[in-house]
Amino acid sequence: MMEPKTCYSTILTLKLITFLLLNFTLRKLSAYENYYSRDDFPQDFIFGSATTAYQVEGAANEDGRTPSIWDTFAHDVFEGTENGDVACDGYHKYKEDVKLMVETGLDAYRFSISWSRLIPNGRGPVNPKGLEYYNNLINELISNGIQPHVTLHNFDLPQVLEDEYGGWVSRKIIRDFTNYADVCFREFGDRVLYWTTINEPNVFAIGGYDSGATPPRRCSPPFCHSTGNKGNSTIEPYLAVHNILLSHSSAARLYRRKYKENQHGFVGISIFTFGCHPITNTERDRVACQRVYDHMVGWIMEPLVRGDYPVSMKRNAGSRIPAFTSRESKQIKGSADFIGVIHYYNINVTDNPDALNNNLRDYNMDIAAVLYFELFSNEEIAVTPWKLVEELNKLKLLYGNPPLFIYENGQRTNSNSSLQDVTRVNYLYEYIGAVLDALRDGSNIKGYFVWSFMDVFELLDGYESSFGLYYVDRNDPELKRYPKLSAKWYNKFLKGGSTSIVGDLQQLNKDPSHVSVGHSI
C-alpha cells in the first residue's frame, strides 16, 4: 500500500500557482473572479456531493441482490475486474464514508438506490437485507446531520425486467416503477425529503437506445456503436423517454396523493445539460443550437412544464415520437417539484439540414446538426463556467424559474494523477462562483453537489478516469480513501472562509494539517 508523503514539491506548487495566475488573466470576467465565501449564498442553500449505487456500493452478488442492466453492460464492455462488483465497497464501508462526509463538511449526500438490491425480481417481495442497508445508510446520514437526496433509477434497471419485456421500451415499466417508488416512499420517506425519480433520461435514452453505447445497449444498424444488440434506434429513444416521463409522473402523483401530507417531501427528475456553442456566427448554426437544446433539454422540460414535446422534435421525428393522451399530458405537466441539473461541458454545433433527407433516421439524425463534444474524451473538461450560467438562465426564462439543484458538476482527471488535483480545485472554484452569479441573476437554485465524493466506477471510462474528492486505493485490500486537495479546498470553503484560488492553494500548502494530500498515486 502506498504511504502519504509529508509534503509536495515547492517547485511544482509554484508552477501550478503561476499557471493559475496566468489563467486568471485570460478568463472571461465575472463576479466569481473576486473573493467569495459560503456566507454569500442563501442561509438555506445546500452544499453536498454525490455517488450512485452501482458506482460505489460493490457487493454486487451479496445478500440477495440481482444483476442490473449496468452489471450486464460492465461485464460485456470492460475486462477483468473493471466493473462494479466491488467498486468502492460502500455497502460495507458506509459508516466510514459518512464520517468522511462529516469531516468534509457536507450538508447533503446524493446517492441512488439499487432497485435490484431492494426488490431483486423487479417486482414482488422486498429484500430484507437491501432494506436494512438503505435504512442503515439513511440513519447514519441523518444522525450525522447530513441530508439524504435519493435517486430511484440511475442506468440500473433490474436485468430481469429488461429480459422479460424490454424494460423502458414497454408500458409495463410504468406499473413496476411506480410500485418500486411506492416501496421507497413508504420505507424511507419519513427521513428522505428529496427524491429524484430517474437520472438524466435524455442521455440514458440516447446512449442506451440509439447508439447502444451505454446500458442496456439497444440499437439497430447503421446507428450502433456496438454489435450484436437488439433494438430499434429509429423509435426506441423516443419510446424510452416517453415511458420514463409517464413513470416519473405516475410516481409523483402517487407521492402527492399518498405521502406528501405526512412526509412533506419533493419529487423531481434530473436532466443532462450542456453549454451550446454555434461553430460559425451564422443564423443557421444559431438556429441549430436551439434545435439541439430542444432535442436534449426541451425533450424533458417541455412535457414537464407544458405537457407536450417541442414542436421541432415532433416535426422532425413525425410519427416515430409517441403522442401523449390528454390525460397523460395533464398528469405530466407540473409533475416535477424540482429539476436536478447535470452539467459538465459544452457542445459545439453546426447545422446539417441534409440529415433530414434520409428516410432511415435515428434520434441523432432528427436533430439535423453535427455535434462535437467531450463526452468520449479522456481529457480534462474545459473550464467555461459562464456557460453554466447561460444554461441556468435558460431554465429560468424558458420554464418559469423552477427550483433547481446542481446535482452533478465536476472535473475529470486521469485515475493515476496526483492527489494534488489543482485543476479540480480550479474547476470547482469557478463553477461554484458561477452558481453564485446565477443566484444573483435570480435563478431559483437550492443546492450544489460535487461529482463525485470519491473516485467511482465511471459509466464510460471505468476506473481509467476519476472525478472524486477522495482517492480510493484499489491496490489496498481495504480500499483506503485519501483526501485530495479538492476535498481540503471544499472543506475550507464549507467552513465559511472566503476563497480565491491562488490564495487558497498557498494556504493549503503551508497548513501542516493538509500534508496527507501529498500522497502520490
Side-chain angles (χ1 to χ4, degrees):
M1 184 179 73
M2 297 171 285
E3 294 296 327
K5 295 180 181 178
T6 58
C7 65
Y8 48 75
S9 167
T10 302
I11 295 175
L12 174 61
T13 303
L14 290 173
K15 285 182 177 179
L16 292 170
I17 293 174
T18 302
F19 163 77
L20 289 167
L21 282 169
L22 178 61
N23 190 32
F24 262 36
T25 67
L26 298 176
R27 286 198 318 263
K28 184 174 179 178
L29 293 176
S30 64
Y32 50 82
E33 294 213 22
N34 300 316
Y35 286 89
Y36 66 81
S37 75
R38 180 171 183 171
D39 292 339
D40 292 316
F41 290 81
Q43 189 172 3
D44 60 352
F45 192 89
I46 292 169
F47 284 98
S49 191
T51 65
T52 76
Y54 187 70
Q55 296 176 278
V56 77
E57 284 180 5
N61 303 306
E62 292 185 37
D63 292 341
R65 181 188 181 275
T66 60
S68 72
I69 57 175
W70 199 341
D71 292 75
T72 303
F73 170 81
H75 282 269
D76 287 348
V77 172
F78 296 97
E79 296 180 355
T81 57
E82 194 87 355
N83 54 56
D85 287 3
V86 175
C88 304
D89 197 25
Y91 186 74
H92 298 108
K93 299 173 75 69
Y94 68 91
K95 288 187 178 181
E96 173 187 332
D97 292 337
V98 172
K99 183 179 178 181
L100 292 178
M101 295 174 204
V102 173
E103 292 175 1
T104 308
L106 301 187
D107 300 320
Y109 175 54
R110 176 180 176 244
F111 65 95
S112 71
I113 290 174
S114 167
W115 186 345
S116 59
R117 187 183 299 284
L118 188 63
I119 307 176
N121 293 321
R123 68 170 76 88
V126 173
N127 175 16
K129 287 291 187 180
L131 184 64
E132 179 184 17
Y133 167 67
Y134 290 113
N135 269 320
N136 288 344
L137 172 58
I138 292 167
N139 290 340
E140 192 72 15
L141 291 167
I142 296 293
S143 66
N144 283 280
I146 297 174
Q147 185 181 83
H149 286 235
V150 176
T151 299
L152 297 181
H153 179 276
N154 186 76
F155 289 82
D156 58 351
L157 181 77
Q159 184 65 47
V160 64
L161 299 184
E162 178 70 22
D163 294 340
E164 181 182 337
Y165 54 71
W168 290 107
V169 299
S170 169
R171 290 183 68 92
K172 293 179 181 179
I173 192 67
I174 301 169
R175 175 180 291 182
D176 285 341
F177 181 80
T178 304
N179 289 337
Y180 161 56
D182 192 12
V183 170
C184 293
F185 298 153
R186 183 185 72 232
E187 299 294 340
F188 313 125
D190 57 329
R191 289 151 291 160
V192 175
L193 290 177
Y194 294 96
W195 298 95
T196 299
T197 52
I198 296 98
N199 190 48
E200 51 187 30
N202 47 355
V203 295
F204 172 64
I206 297 165
Y209 298 87
D210 189 347
S211 67
T214 61
R217 301 182 75 201
R218 296 178 69 96
C219 61
S220 60
F223 308 110
C224 290
H225 288 188
S226 55
T227 59
N229 297 308
K230 57 185 177 181
N232 186 335
S233 298
T234 69
I235 63 171
E236 287 193 356
Y238 299 115
L239 193 57
V241 163
H242 196 74
N243 290 329
I244 284 171
L245 288 168
L246 292 172
S247 297
H248 157 80
S249 61
S250 175
R253 181 180 61 175
L254 170 75
Y255 186 86
R256 291 172 180 178
R257 289 180 174 179
K258 191 174 180 180
Y259 297 102
K260 178 79 172 180
E261 183 177 356
N262 292 323
Q263 296 182 357
H264 311 293
F266 306 91
V267 178
I269 194 168
S270 68
I271 304 175
F272 187 91
T273 70
F274 53 89
C276 190
H277 181 73
I279 288 180
T280 67
N281 189 27
T282 62
E283 182 68 15
R284 284 179 51 176
D285 282 3
R286 288 194 295 270
V287 171
C289 242
Q290 181 56 49
R291 191 166 58 248
V292 171
Y293 187 85
D294 287 346
H295 279 68
M296 285 284 287
V297 178
W299 192 10
I300 312 301
M301 287 302 300
E302 290 285 333
L304 292 175
V305 173
R306 300 184 177 95
D308 202 2
Y309 296 115
V311 172
S312 64
M313 289 195 78
K314 295 196 293 181
R315 179 175 60 244
N316 289 5
S319 62
R320 289 180 291 115
I321 190 167
F324 296 114
T325 66
S326 58
R327 182 190 64 80
E328 291 169 343
S329 177
K330 183 178 179 181
Q331 176 178 299
I332 292 170
K333 184 178 178 180
S335 62
D337 295 324
F338 64 87
I339 300 297
V341 174
I342 315 296
H343 186 93
Y344 294 97
Y345 56 78
N346 306 319
I347 298 178
N348 296 319
V349 172
T350 188
D351 188 35
N352 182 29
D354 292 341
L356 297 178
N357 295 330
N358 293 280
N359 292 326
L360 183 65
R361 297 200 304 272
D362 65 341
Y363 162 90
N364 286 311
M365 294 185 74
D366 287 337
I367 298 177
V370 180
L371 282 57
Y372 303 92
F373 49 89
E374 304 173 29
L375 182 61
F376 297 102
S377 168
N378 289 322
E379 300 297 322
E380 292 184 2
I381 299 168
V383 181
T384 56
W386 53 90
K387 284 293 187 181
L388 173 58
V389 177
E390 289 178 7
E391 295 312 303
L392 296 173
N393 283 335
K394 282 183 184 178
L395 290 169
K396 176 183 68 177
L397 295 172
L398 295 176
Y399 300 115
N401 204 15
L404 305 175
F405 288 96
I406 313 298
Y407 266 157
E408 288 184 33
N409 179 244
Q411 176 63 283
R412 173 176 51 212
T413 58
N414 291 329
S415 61
N416 61 349
S417 57
S418 171
L419 290 188
Q420 301 153 32
D421 56 342
V422 174
T423 56
R424 180 168 293 110
V425 174
N426 184 43
Y427 184 100
L428 297 178
Y429 169 77
E430 295 285 356
Y431 280 85
I432 292 174
V435 172
L436 180 57
D437 275 354
L439 277 166
R440 289 170 173 170
D441 287 344
S443 287
N444 191 14
I445 310 167
K446 301 299 185 182
Y448 174 91
F449 291 67
V450 175
W451 182 264
S452 54
F453 184 64
M454 66 185 73
D455 291 342
V456 298
F457 180 73
E458 292 292 336
L459 177 64
L460 298 177
D461 299 333
Y463 297 116
E464 293 300 310
S465 67
S466 66
F467 287 78
L469 298 172
Y470 287 81
Y471 166 68
V472 179
D473 188 350
R474 303 194 182 281
N475 294 317
D476 182 352
E478 298 300 316
L479 296 171
K480 186 173 181 179
R481 284 81 155 120
Y482 291 92
K484 301 180 189 177
L485 191 66
S486 55
K488 299 294 185 179
W489 178 86
Y490 200 37
N491 171 254
K492 176 182 180 295
F493 167 71
L494 294 178
K495 285 183 177 178
S498 62
T499 181
S500 74
I501 187 67
V502 175
D504 286 350
L505 288 173
Q506 291 173 331
Q507 182 179 354
L508 288 170
N509 188 36
K510 295 176 182 178
D511 188 342
S513 70
H514 295 161
V515 296
S516 65
V517 302
H519 177 81
S520 180
I521 300 173

